[in-house]
Amino acid sequence: MWFNSRPMKVLMSLLSLRPGQVGGAETYVRQLLAKLPGAAAPGDRLVALMDRDVASAMATPGWERVVLPRSARGVVIERILEAFTPWRAREAERAIAAVDADVALYPQQSIFPKRAPGRAVLTVVDVQHLYQPELIPAVERAFRAAIYPASLARADHLLAISEFTRRTLLERCGVEPERVTAVPLGYEPRDGTTVAPTDRVAGPYLYYPAATFAHKNHAALIRSYAALRRRGALAARLVFTGMQTPAWSGLARLARRLGVADDVVHLGWLPYPEIRRVYAGADAVVFPSRYEGFGIPVLEAAVEFRKKVITSRLPVFEELGVPPERQVDFADPDALLAALRLPGPTVLAHRPSTWEDCARRTLEACRAVARRPGVAVATAVRP
């Protein structure tokens, strides 16, 4: 417990944060920013490192701020240069060294800069490339191959966002069990307030909150939805939110070809207060993804909003406690319809973690690394 621990200084890097572009990883980072100050021990200091674009867009109460004089685009270029050339992001290295933190937290999969000084805790949020490399663009696969293994080896400790992710690190990446801890992502407990349904959509609707990446499987959902509409078995509209990747134009054409374009609505990226209103108005939340490291919307919909939630069949959804009868093959319209006709909201098999739990366990892991005797990994690295 914190009451018998000396204060520590924690640096959290936001240099990989791209608001509106990174889906659940952004929710995770924003929740850490909000909840870590409340989980900190007396005397602890929290420092957020960010580029100037993120600094102008993010409020960080409870945090000291260090702002690199770089745009978000500039940081992306530097990350690419470090991945594929001998070039070093020395200004970022110096900024981290100047903070002189007991431990640095990198919450988005990779450590940047590669030679960042000091002890490091790394959160692994995405291991999709180990399961479905064909769904990841070639340039992204090359970047992951250049950066991810080095970050795993460099980190003093790893946080996995689910047991599924932890097992993957052990079985497919050869990470030693003592180097990785599963710290599940969380949900926001109901506070008793009523959320007004959105006025952006008229009539009943099914809701899918996800960026239009290939693995999110929007196409299978649209096809099954169209089949049910043609049969007159479903009256609800289909509503999407999230980042519209270049794949959205093809999905929109698919909806037109199947005759459901007027009933398929994409509201784009929305701030979270508005997302809550879309949840509130939904008849059901569907989640047909072919891969997930966790699945924050499942918790939000089932626990916070007590909605009927239908998911695909994935190990992580079993881990979250989604009942088997509410996990379906979204390519099968009849299976989707049967699940939608089940009475009542989806009740998960066990109580999930809250964001406060996540923040507390994250700081516990950081404190354990900060207390270790000896020299941190990165201080032994030479130019």
Side-chain angles (χ1 to χ4, degrees):
M1 295 295 291
W2 59 255
F3 53 77
N4 60 7
S5 301
R6 68 176 179 84
M8 66 174 175
K9 183 191 289 188
V10 179
L11 171 72
M12 184 163 78
S13 174
L14 306 184
L15 293 179
S16 297
L17 182 61
R18 297 292 168 261
Q21 300 180 38
V22 291
E26 178 178 347
T27 300
Y28 172 56
V29 172
R30 287 181 178 272
Q31 288 290 348
L32 288 180
L33 286 169
K35 305 300 185 185
L36 285 178
D44 284 349
R45 294 172 61 189
L46 304 176
V47 183
L49 173 66
M50 62 196 80
D51 62 60
R52 68 184 187 220
D53 290 335
V54 170
S56 66
M58 299 284 291
T60 54
W63 292 78
E64 303 171 36
R65 291 158 65 105
V66 175
V67 180
L68 282 184
R70 292 284 187 277
S71 65
R73 176 180 171 81
V75 172
V76 169
I77 291 171
E78 291 188 350
R79 292 183 69 208
I80 293 171
L81 287 173
E82 276 215 339
F84 298 117
T85 78
W87 185 88
R88 289 173 60 172
R90 294 183 185 273
E91 187 169 15
E93 292 178 21
R94 289 192 292 270
I96 294 170
V99 173
D100 193 26
D102 294 291
V103 62
L105 173 63
Y106 297 88
Q108 288 182 266
Q109 193 78 20
S110 63
I111 294 175
F112 171 80
K114 288 196 295 186
R115 295 178 178 84
R119 293 173 174 171
V121 172
L122 173 69
T123 302
V124 179
V125 298
D126 183 4
V127 290
Q128 184 193 3
H129 56 289
L130 300 176
Y131 292 92
Q132 298 171 332
E134 71 281 2
L135 297 183
I136 299 174
V139 172
E140 174 68 13
R141 289 202 306 271
F143 179 83
R144 293 186 182 209
I147 292 297
Y148 286 7
S151 292
L152 293 181
R154 157 69 184 85
D156 295 86
H157 198 73
L158 302 169
L159 303 180
I161 63 171
S162 61
E163 282 293 336
F164 162 74
T165 303
R166 187 187 71 87
R167 289 194 303 271
T168 299
L169 291 173
L170 300 181
E171 297 168 4
R172 299 203 176 199
C173 301
V175 174
E176 303 85 352
E178 63 273 13
R179 289 189 59 232
V180 57
T181 302
V183 179
L185 306 186
Y187 76 99
E188 197 72 36
R190 293 171 63 94
D191 60 7
T193 60
T194 300
V195 178
T198 185
D199 56 5
R200 294 170 179 259
V201 185
Y205 61 88
L206 311 180
Y207 176 37
Y208 183 28
T212 54
F213 296 121
H215 71 277
K216 294 297 186 178
N217 209 20
H218 290 73
L221 174 59
I222 292 172
R223 291 189 183 99
S224 287
Y225 172 79
L228 295 175
R229 292 284 291 187
R230 285 195 299 270
R231 286 158 41 182
L234 187 63
R237 304 178 82 186
L238 181 58
V239 173
F240 299 135
T241 63
M243 180 177 65
Q244 291 184 1
T245 71
W248 169 244
S249 60
L251 293 169
R253 286 195 299 272
L254 174 64
R256 288 195 297 272
R257 188 168 71 249
L258 296 176
V260 292
D262 291 341
D263 297 307
V264 175
V265 180
H266 201 306
L267 301 178
W269 185 89
L270 299 176
Y272 190 64
E274 185 59 27
I275 290 288
R276 289 170 56 83
R277 297 186 64 198
V278 182
Y279 274 128
D283 281 41
V285 174
V286 290
F287 214 81
S289 181
R290 295 169 58 187
Y291 167 85
E292 289 297 322
F294 188 78
I296 293 172
V298 173
L299 291 191
E300 292 174 335
V303 182
E304 187 176 352
F305 291 93
R306 299 178 185 174
K307 292 292 180 178
K308 181 178 294 183
V309 182
I310 312 301
T311 73
S312 53
R313 297 190 182 105
L314 294 177
V316 74
F317 294 147
E318 295 178 10
E319 181 181 329
L320 289 177
V322 177
E325 65 273 16
R326 305 205 183 214
Q327 299 180 48
V328 305
D329 177 1
F330 276 82
D332 182 348
D334 293 318
L336 174 58
L337 182 61
L340 288 171
R341 285 178 171 172
L342 291 172
T346 296
V347 178
L348 302 183
H350 49 261
R351 175 192 175 276
S353 297
T354 65
W355 285 117
E356 285 80 3
D357 296 329
C358 178
R360 174 182 51 80
R361 294 188 62 191
T362 298
L363 276 186
E364 287 174 356
C366 289
R367 199 176 305 280
V369 170
R371 284 200 303 252
R372 289 179 186 172
V375 179
V377 172
T379 58
V381 175
R382 293 291 180 265

